[in-house]
Amino acid sequence: MILASIFWFAASVAALTLDVASSGGNRSSSLLYGLLYEDIYHSGDGGLYGEMLRNRAFQGSSSNGAASLARNTDYWYPVGNVSLTIDTSSPSLSSSLPYQMRMDVAVGTTGTVGFYNEGFWGFNVDAAKRYIASFYMRGNYNGTVDCYFHSNTTDQVLGSSSMSIDQTSSEGWVQTFSTTFQPSTTGSDANNTFYFTFDGSKLAGQSVYFNILSLFKQTFDDRYNGVREDLAEAVENMNAKYIRLPGGNNMEGNGSPFEWKWNETIGSLVDRPGRPGTWGDIKTDGFGLLEMMKMSQDLGLEVILGIWTGLYLNGEIISEANLQPYVDSVMNELEFLLGDKSTTYGAQRAALGFPSPFRINWIEIGNEDYLNGGTSSYYSYRFMAFYNAIHAVYPSINLMSTINPNPVKSDGSSLDLHVYGNEDYFVSLFNTFDQASRKYPVFVNEYAATNTGSNNVGQVGAQTLGMSCAEAVFLLGCERNSDVIVGSAYGALIKSYNEAPDTVAVIKHTANEILYSISYYVQKLFAENMATETLPVTATNGSFGPVYWSATANSSSTILKLVNYDGMTGSSNAVQVNIEGSSKTTATLIILTAPNSTSVNNLPSLGGESSTITTTTLSGSSGSFFVSFSKPYEIVILVV
Ligand code: AHR
């Protein structure tokens, strides 16, 4: 069918002719397609971070959409004749985790007692994968603990592991691990719970205490305390080149003193207090600085490190007189990441299992400092305090401003622009960078078409083909100017499908499914088909709109990306492409489209994807090819 709609005729008449020159463009940025990672919408806890139990260490809670330090036993439910409460008796597991769950077992109890956790909207139970459970317990118990999945749909036990414990309260906290186990049966859906059960007769009349109850499925690259395999693979398959972390608004914190603090996210999980996140949930910080850096390494991603620079989302700003400790903290963080083992913090990193320093070439000084009253302090002292300190020690690191223009307009500085808006706005930005100053590199470290057409009300969580094509038009504008637009990343990268409200994200997940948005495929295809230099294109018989384009080349191929945005189909809107100097008679044609502009992708269990990607071979003659569109909204990539 595709061949019927995309065809080549020597005698066909095109609406538009594009002559692609063989040279004369600019060098393209090798970083052009990147990622933003922050723990937003359960992209970390309950998302990428492999921990499957929710509220594992009683670090706080969420009420009315806001994270708080109020502790409770949410997501935990009693089994048998027990009560579960939050407890602060001594000794606590650590000064960072002073709250624990107490299980009181009634006098005379027999049979099974314990508790179960409902996970982050259920559990993925996969008989082909390995799992491991663990917990810290204080109290007297000599008996077995059974850990198992239970399907609420089929009322079946899906897989279990038993461990023997023999401990007394005088030993304090003891950590116990299950053996690694594989479920006997794959869950029919995510509606599963995870149980820890004990012999009630051996606990009758006693109280026992629990903290850091944990369950991991085998992780991406089998890392300890690692990331969820399928989500990491989804990210890996985007073929991005860089990742900005740890945010975003989540780095900023809603108010004092809840900014993201690097030193509270490293080392033993026992020493990580967690914090109220910006996006409504308490953060375990189990997916901390080193876990993020390790994941970035595993995915082959360059890191843009975000640092907190004294502005909270509620508008609180650290005064100039009080800023130095925050600058010092950043310098310690950089020594931790970049210093060799002879340095104080480099030695700390090495002791945590990372003897080799990481590599950081880019640092972003803050996040969206033009919001919440941040502009004047950013320009008057905040930016320069961090710039001067970092530049003095690490002169080769490029330092990025979050406000345009960068307070420092010399080599070694850059800028991050964030672009959100409706579909029409994105299309209107196609040529916005054509005349941009070439003074310093610009990243668009967050972009997303958040609504259809000219609609400005709220966000349409389900990204339509129209929205994705509008993003593609914008990205063509970036690619055509990728001598100055050196990076782009969608905001947000990952979201839990279950969390309300629905907002835009490239990848959405449930416990056992992944929804790849059409925006995901746009980025993936654009990143996979990116060459090393731009090529000038001369248009005759037409100009930009409804068809938009960008051409790049490397030593072996010329790549022309075309977006038909609300255009005609068939020969009335066809494009004659002539590649200067090419004698090739075939080209690879990649087409991303969907039935109509409002089409969206969904979870596999809810209808699956409406978008399709087809790859075919297109015949031509001496570097000339005839391309016609089969849909009014369509992305076509021609690789010659
Ligand atoms: O989608 C990402 C969020 O939107 C980021 O946290 C923030 O920087 C932006 O406003």
Side-chain angles (χ1 to χ4, degrees):
M1 291 310 289
I2 287 300
L3 280 177
S5 57
I6 306 291
F7 41 85
W8 173 80
F9 296 113
S12 294
V13 178
L16 173 69
T17 299
L18 298 179
D19 292 306
V20 182
S22 58
S23 62
N26 292 307
R27 199 164 59 83
S28 302
S29 163
S30 59
L31 293 180
L32 189 54
Y33 298 101
L35 309 168
L36 158 65
Y37 171 75
E38 68 170 326
D39 197 349
I40 178 174
Y41 315 143
H42 291 98
S43 47
D45 287 331
L48 261 181
Y49 182 41
E51 176 61 74
M52 301 179 88
L53 301 183
R54 192 162 182 182
N55 196 15
R56 72 175 178 189
F58 317 103
Q59 288 157 293
S61 57
S62 176
S63 108
N64 298 324
S68 100
L69 288 175
R71 320 295 167 125
N72 60 33
T73 56
D74 280 359
Y75 312 106
W76 293 98
Y77 300 89
V79 174
N81 196 10
V82 302
S83 69
L84 303 176
T85 47
I86 289 293
D87 177 270
T88 54
S89 64
S90 291
S92 58
L93 179 58
S94 68
S95 56
S96 298
L97 298 176
Y99 296 80
Q100 55 249 353
M101 183 167 76
R102 188 176 83 216
M103 178 170 78
D104 298 322
V105 186
V107 173
T109 296
T110 55
T112 298
V113 298
F115 38 79
Y116 68 88
N117 187 273
E118 65 182 15
F120 293 91
W121 294 278
F123 290 90
N124 174 271
V125 185
D126 184 344
K129 301 289 179 181
R130 290 172 279 112
Y131 294 75
I132 189 163
S134 64
F135 56 85
Y136 285 88
M137 177 175 147
R138 171 161 68 84
N140 301 315
Y141 187 63
N142 180 358
T144 56
V145 184
D146 292 318
C147 303
Y148 58 89
F149 287 111
H150 175 260
S151 162
N152 301 324
T153 303
T154 63
D155 196 21
Q156 251 185 311
V157 171
L158 301 174
S160 63
S161 173
S162 261
M163 36 194 153
S164 293
I165 290 188
D166 182 6
Q167 68 179 83
T168 61
S169 60
S170 61
E171 291 173 79
W173 290 95
V174 178
Q175 188 179 25
T176 302
F177 284 87
S178 72
T179 50
T180 301
F181 65 99
Q182 279 188 229
S184 44
T185 314
T186 293
S188 55
D189 53 28
N191 187 13
N192 307 305
T193 43
F194 191 77
Y195 282 68
F196 293 86
T197 60
F198 302 77
D199 179 343
S201 65
K202 298 195 172 173
L203 286 171
Q206 292 197 67
S207 298
V208 278
Y209 306 86
F210 296 90
N211 213 331
I212 313 190
L213 296 121
S214 178
L215 173 69
F216 273 76
K217 184 181 170 189
Q218 69 187 65
T219 57
F220 182 71
D221 275 355
D222 267 331
R223 300 285 177 222
Y224 168 73
N225 200 38
V227 293
R228 183 173 142 176
E229 209 175 21
D230 58 346
L231 274 177
E233 283 166 3
V235 173
E236 183 177 42
N237 290 337
M238 290 173 76
N239 202 22
K241 297 295 180 291
Y242 76 91
I243 186 164
R244 169 175 163 242
L245 54 83
N249 290 158
N250 190 50
M251 179 183 74
E252 292 182 77
N254 282 333
S256 169
F258 296 124
E259 75 276 15
W260 182 88
K261 300 184 185 82
W262 73 274
N263 53 319
E264 295 187 356
T265 74
I266 58 169
S268 166
L269 298 179
V270 162
D271 299 321
R272 303 191 198 185
R275 60 182 270 271
T278 295
W279 295 97
D281 282 285
I282 203 76
K283 301 290 146 208
T284 65
D285 283 334
F287 189 48
L289 179 59
L290 285 175
E291 287 82 11
M292 291 183 214
M293 295 301 292
K294 186 71 201 147
M295 181 189 77
S296 307
Q297 265 185 352
D298 286 345
L299 296 176
L301 296 164
E302 169 102 28
V303 169
I304 296 181
L305 183 71
I307 55 167
W308 188 76
T309 51
L311 171 68
Y312 294 100
L313 288 170
N314 66 0
E316 284 177 75
I317 295 173
I318 306 294
S319 68
E320 189 167 8
N322 291 325
L323 198 61
Q324 192 56 42
Y326 300 93
V327 177
D328 294 344
S329 172
V330 165
M331 297 312 289
N332 294 343
E333 178 182 5
L334 294 180
E335 186 177 290
F336 178 77
L337 292 172
L338 307 175
D340 65 36
K341 286 186 271 181
S342 67
T343 62
T344 307
Y345 291 98
Q348 188 183 4
R349 181 202 64 239
L352 292 173
F354 293 84
S356 305
F358 292 97
R359 205 170 49 100
I360 305 264
N361 296 315
W362 304 86
I363 291 177
E364 180 155 358
I365 299 183
N367 177 62
E368 296 183 342
D369 289 84
Y370 48 88
L371 294 177
N372 308 310
T375 304
S376 71
S377 58
Y378 194 72
Y379 277 119
S380 62
Y381 64 90
R382 289 194 295 118
F383 180 90
M384 287 315 298
F386 290 91
Y387 180 94
N388 287 335
I390 299 170
H391 193 63
V393 182
Y394 306 100
S396 63
I397 295 185
N398 188 296
L399 296 167
M400 195 178 298
S401 165
T402 72
I403 310 190
N404 187 13
N406 188 319
V408 174
K409 301 174 193 66
S410 58
D411 280 354
S413 58
S414 55
L415 174 69
D416 175 15
L417 297 177
H418 292 181
V419 183
Y420 292 102
N422 60 39
E423 208 174 304
D424 291 357
Y425 178 59
F426 266 76
V427 175
S428 77
L429 293 179
F430 169 71
N431 57 4
T432 196
F433 299 123
D434 289 357
Q435 310 307 327
S437 147
R438 263 57 189 168
K439 272 202 189 99
Y440 44 73
V442 174
F443 285 80
V444 182
N445 271 334
E446 294 184 25
Y447 74 83
T450 51
N451 219 314
T452 54
S454 58
N455 195 341
N456 278 317
V457 186
Q459 270 197 40
V460 174
Q463 292 120 289
T464 64
L465 175 67
M467 290 158 73
S468 306
C469 283
E471 289 162 359
V473 170
F474 171 72
L475 289 175
L476 290 180
C478 296
E479 187 173 290
R480 281 157 36 85
N481 291 284
S482 72
D483 56 322
V484 62
I485 307 299
V486 297
S488 63
Y490 194 97
L493 174 62
I494 297 176
K495 177 183 185 300
S496 163
Y497 180 85
N498 299 101
E499 186 184 87
D502 196 13
T503 49
V504 297
V506 191
I507 298 166
K508 295 182 184 173
H509 62 90
T510 64
N512 58 353
E513 287 188 280
I514 292 185
L515 187 168
Y516 301 89
S517 66
I518 305 179
S519 299
Y520 174 92
Y521 290 115
V522 169
Q523 286 169 80
K524 177 173 158 60
L525 286 181
F526 275 30
E528 280 170 0
N529 294 284
M530 176 67 195
T532 50
E533 60 175 310
T534 59
L535 292 176
V537 179
T538 307
T540 43
N541 302 329
S543 64
F544 296 120
V547 178
Y548 299 83
W549 59 86
S550 158
T552 56
N554 55 29
S555 55
S556 57
S557 318
T558 298
I559 301 170
L560 180 70
K561 299 189 178 85
L562 299 162
V563 178
N564 192 25
Y565 185 81
D566 198 13
M568 313 256 264
T569 59
S571 56
S572 50
N573 190 28
V575 185
Q576 174 68 50
V577 179
N578 303 318
I579 311 288
E580 185 184 81
S582 171
S583 57
K584 292 195 179 164
T585 55
T586 58
T588 301
L589 191 72
I590 304 160
I591 300 171
L592 168 61
T593 191
N596 52 59
S597 66
T598 58
S599 298
V600 298
N601 284 352
N602 217 325
L603 290 169
S605 62
L606 294 175
E609 299 186 349
S610 65
S611 70
T612 53
I613 297 174
T614 50
T615 303
T616 53
T617 300
L618 181 68
S619 296
S621 161
S622 303
S624 291
F625 299 89
F626 187 83
V627 177
S628 73
F629 299 99
S630 60
K631 298 276 188 234
Y633 290 82
E634 189 166 84
I635 295 167
V636 172
I637 302 177
L638 188 70
V639 184
V640 183

